Each structure stands twice: as structure tokens, then as C-alpha cells.
Amino acid sequence: MRQSNLELLRILSMMMIVLCHFFYYNKFSLDQQPMGLKRIVLKTFLGSQGRVGVDIFFAISIWFLCKPKRQLTFHDTSKRAWILERTLLFWSAVLGIACIVAEIAPKNIYMILNTILPTLSNDWGYATCYIVILLLMPFVVKGLACLKRQEHLILCAIIIFIGPVMSTIPGLEHHLLNSGLLSFLALLTLVTYIRWYHCEPAKPLIGVICLAMGYLIIGVQAYFGFQIYEMMDMGILLETFGWFILFSKLHFSSRFVNWIASHVFAIYLITEFIPIRQWLWGTIFDYGPYYHGLASIFYPIAVTLLISAICILFDIAKSAIFRLTVDRNKGHWFELLWSKISMKTKQSGS
């Protein structure tokens, strides 16, 4: 059952990711501009929000998957990974062929392998990590469920110390939890504790305080030239939970919001396909001519909304194709393969 408030937050998180990529991969480097109020504001409120978006997007998925007293099975999470892999294969094939035809991608073995093995190539880093997390989740969640509440809380405290706390200390900002998979596992541990033991989210004031502190920390880091792109940094994590608390207090139901949210992952897949990414931010949407004008804030936002709308339209078309083909019996091939593997496993064990 979709919750429109969190689905709206999911949409916002994807906008944050695209905005971050606009600045991070753009031909015009914001980091090379003279330090000033404009650079700090852009870096704090727009350019650093990508990791906040990633954290939120992942946290929402975990929130729905790890419900209290719900038994996650390897079968269920593997099926989710299988269905996600179909989407990755579709977009890698379509985008790869389109880029080669449009001559914005080289015709080499790397491009071919990236097209037929999108998960193993790790060009879509979030998708690869999420599939690995899905495969590990039944075992990780079962282990966390075996902990007492106090033990789970101690584990969360350790994670917060070696991650967010250490990230605020100059020279220690590149801490152990800044590798992709470890960051996701750490965030999984934090979200499951909140989900299982604090069913009622904190008051809105707590959310506002978290956001204010998060933006303050990121603003200070931006002033001193820190690279703010890690999932478990203190400022990033405070903003993540601040937004989550505020949106959890919204109560409404909207089929339109739920429908749009179901298509936003395609925005990431399309804009993060490497040839598309280089074409978008290196050629089409150069920020240089707009940085010194009045459009310095509005241009990145307008570009993000435009690209997101186009990507959503493409994904609507993909969904129509899937409904006529592979989704007519969704997951059927997976169930056949699972049955065969289960039968062979039982025979070998007997």
C-alpha cells in the first residue's frame, strides 16, 4: 500500500539527485569559482543534495520492506531483484543502442558489456548496491531482529560515531562507512531501528531542527571547501531524517502522486547512463553562461524539472511495452527458475 506523503518525498529525493548531478558533472565547475555567498548557497541548498536524495530514496524502500513482524524471505527479495534487473536490462539496451546510433557513445567492447551486463558494470552504482542489498536483506534483517532493542540501539550508536560524527572532524571525513555497500548497510540498520521501535515519527519541530542543523553543517563544510558527497556524513544524515520526519506528518492520498512516484527511478537510470550523462551536463546544459546572471538558481531547477518530465514520459512508454509483454505474467520466469533450483537443491540434499 503506497503512502502518498512518502511517495511525494520519493519524487523530491529524485529531484535532489538530478540537481546534484547537474552541478557535479557539469562542464562548468562550481568548485573552481571564487568563494562567496552565491557559491556557498548553491553548494549548500542545491549542489550537495544528491546524497540526501539517495539516502531518502533508499530509506523509503527500507521503510516499506522492513515492517514490524514481517518475515522477509530470500525468495521475495530475489524476486524484487529479478524484476529490477529486467528494468536495468531494458534501459541499458535502449539507451546503449540510441547512443550508438546518435554517435554520442563509442562502439567498443566496454559499451557492449555495459549494455548487456548493466549490474555487473556498476555504472548505475545505486542500482547495483540496491540489488546486492536486496539479496542480503533477509539475512541481515533476521540478524538485526535477533538483537534486543538495547543492543540494536548500541549498534546504531556505533554506526553514528564512526560515520556521521567522524565526518565532522577535519582529516577524518573519509571514514569507513563511505564505501557504497557499507553505507547502505549502515543506513539499513538505522532505519530498521526507527521502524521497529519508534512507530510514531518525531514531532515536526525535531524535523525542522534536523534540517537546520544539517544545512548549517553543510554550509560550513562548503565554506571550507569540503567535498560533501558521502551518504553517512553528519549533515547529509540530519537532512535525510529531517525531511523524513516532516513528510511523515503529512496525511493525504493522491493517485497522481503515487503514479508519478512509480516512474521516477527511470530519471536516475536515464540521466546516469554515462554517455547520456556526459551529453547532458557536458554539452547541452552548460551552466557557465547562467552562473553570473539572475538565472543562477532558477536555471538548474528548471533544467531538473524539464529532464525529469521527459524521463517520466519515456518510462510511461516503457511501462506500456512491459504491460503488453513481460508483465502479462509478472515474475513467471523467476518462479519457474526458482522451482527448478529448489527441486535440484532438495534432490542433492536427500
Side-chain angles (χ1 to χ4, degrees):
M1 184 68 177
R2 289 184 177 270
Q3 295 177 223
S4 296
N5 56 341
L6 295 184
E7 296 302 338
L8 182 60
L9 182 58
R10 194 194 299 270
I11 296 170
L12 176 63
S13 69
M14 188 54 66
M15 301 300 104
M16 292 176 175
I17 293 169
V18 178
L19 266 173
C20 176
H21 292 168
F22 174 93
F23 288 99
Y24 189 71
Y25 296 112
N26 205 279
K27 180 181 179 180
F28 177 86
S29 176
L30 182 62
D31 290 332
Q32 294 179 2
Q33 303 311 304
M35 182 60 67
L37 181 61
K38 177 183 287 188
R39 175 179 160 178
I40 293 173
V41 169
L42 289 172
K43 189 83 171 178
T44 302
F45 294 99
L46 299 180
S48 66
Q49 296 302 295
R51 288 302 185 187
V52 178
V54 171
D55 280 8
I56 292 172
F57 203 91
F58 179 73
I60 291 173
S61 299
I62 299 303
W63 188 263
F64 287 124
L65 282 173
C66 298
K67 295 178 181 178
K69 299 181 181 179
R70 176 181 177 177
Q71 290 291 331
L72 274 178
T73 66
F74 186 60
H75 170 273
D76 294 338
T77 57
S78 298
K79 188 173 182 178
R80 285 179 176 271
W82 173 282
I83 292 172
L84 176 58
E85 183 66 25
R86 298 180 319 165
T87 301
L88 301 185
L89 287 170
F90 173 86
W91 281 119
S92 64
V94 169
L95 295 174
I97 294 170
C99 289
I100 290 173
V101 171
E103 298 183 346
I104 62 174
K107 301 175 184 178
N108 54 30
I109 187 64
Y110 173 78
M111 192 64 196
I112 295 172
L113 290 175
N114 182 51
T115 300
I116 62 177
L117 299 171
T119 305
L120 295 180
S121 68
N122 200 30
D123 285 343
W124 285 322
Y126 176 86
T128 299
C129 281
Y130 186 63
I131 285 178
V132 174
I133 288 293
L134 281 174
L135 297 178
L136 295 177
M137 191 179 294
F139 314 104
V140 175
V141 170
K142 187 175 182 180
L144 291 173
C146 291
L147 298 176
K148 296 178 181 179
R149 177 174 178 173
Q150 186 177 9
E151 293 171 334
H152 197 162
L153 180 60
I154 292 172
L155 179 58
C156 290
I158 293 171
I159 288 172
I160 291 172
F161 177 76
I162 65 175
V165 173
M166 288 182 63
S167 71
T168 62
I169 303 173
L172 297 178
E173 59 268 21
H174 301 294
H175 50 75
L176 294 174
L177 296 181
N178 274 345
S179 60
L181 188 58
L182 280 178
S183 295
F184 284 111
L185 287 172
L187 191 55
L188 168 65
T189 303
L190 298 178
V191 173
T192 50
Y193 179 82
I194 297 171
R195 181 60 160 154
W196 293 345
Y197 303 115
H198 293 278
C199 296
E200 283 298 322
K203 296 179 180 180
L205 179 60
I206 302 298
V208 172
I209 293 173
C210 286
L211 277 179
M213 291 179 62
Y215 280 120
L216 177 62
I217 291 172
I218 289 176
V220 172
Q221 290 176 322
Y223 177 78
F224 287 104
F226 285 16
Q227 293 297 317
I228 316 162
Y229 298 111
E230 305 299 347
M231 290 174 58
M232 294 301 293
D233 284 356
M234 178 66 82
I236 300 295
L237 207 60
L238 282 171
E239 285 189 35
T240 297
F241 287 109
W243 283 115
F244 202 95
I245 291 168
L246 291 180
F247 273 79
S248 67
K249 291 300 182 180
L250 297 177
H251 299 288
F252 70 97
S253 179
S254 170
R255 290 184 179 180
F256 179 75
V257 168
N258 296 345
W259 177 65
I260 293 295
S262 68
H263 292 289
V264 294
F265 189 58
I267 301 172
Y268 167 80
L269 296 178
I270 295 172
T271 59
E272 270 298 277
F273 192 72
I274 291 179
I276 298 289
R277 184 177 73 194
Q278 294 171 341
W279 177 66
L280 284 175
W281 312 130
T283 304
I284 303 300
F285 297 110
D286 181 11
Y287 187 42
Y290 302 94
Y291 177 71
H292 298 287
L294 295 175
S296 58
I297 292 179
F298 300 107
Y299 181 72
I301 297 173
V303 168
T304 295
L305 294 175
L306 174 64
I307 290 175
S308 298
I310 293 171
C311 292
I312 287 172
L313 290 175
F314 283 145
D315 197 61
I316 291 171
K318 184 272 296 182
S319 296
I321 294 171
F322 271 36
R323 279 196 299 272
L324 295 174
T325 54
V326 294
D327 277 353
R328 297 185 72 175
N329 195 351
K330 195 172 183 178
H332 178 66
W333 293 348
F334 171 83
E335 295 296 347
L336 290 176
L337 180 62
W338 183 270
S339 297
K340 289 184 179 180
I341 293 175
S342 298
M343 288 180 62
K344 289 184 177 180
T345 303
K346 290 179 180 179
Q347 290 174 357
S348 62
S350 59

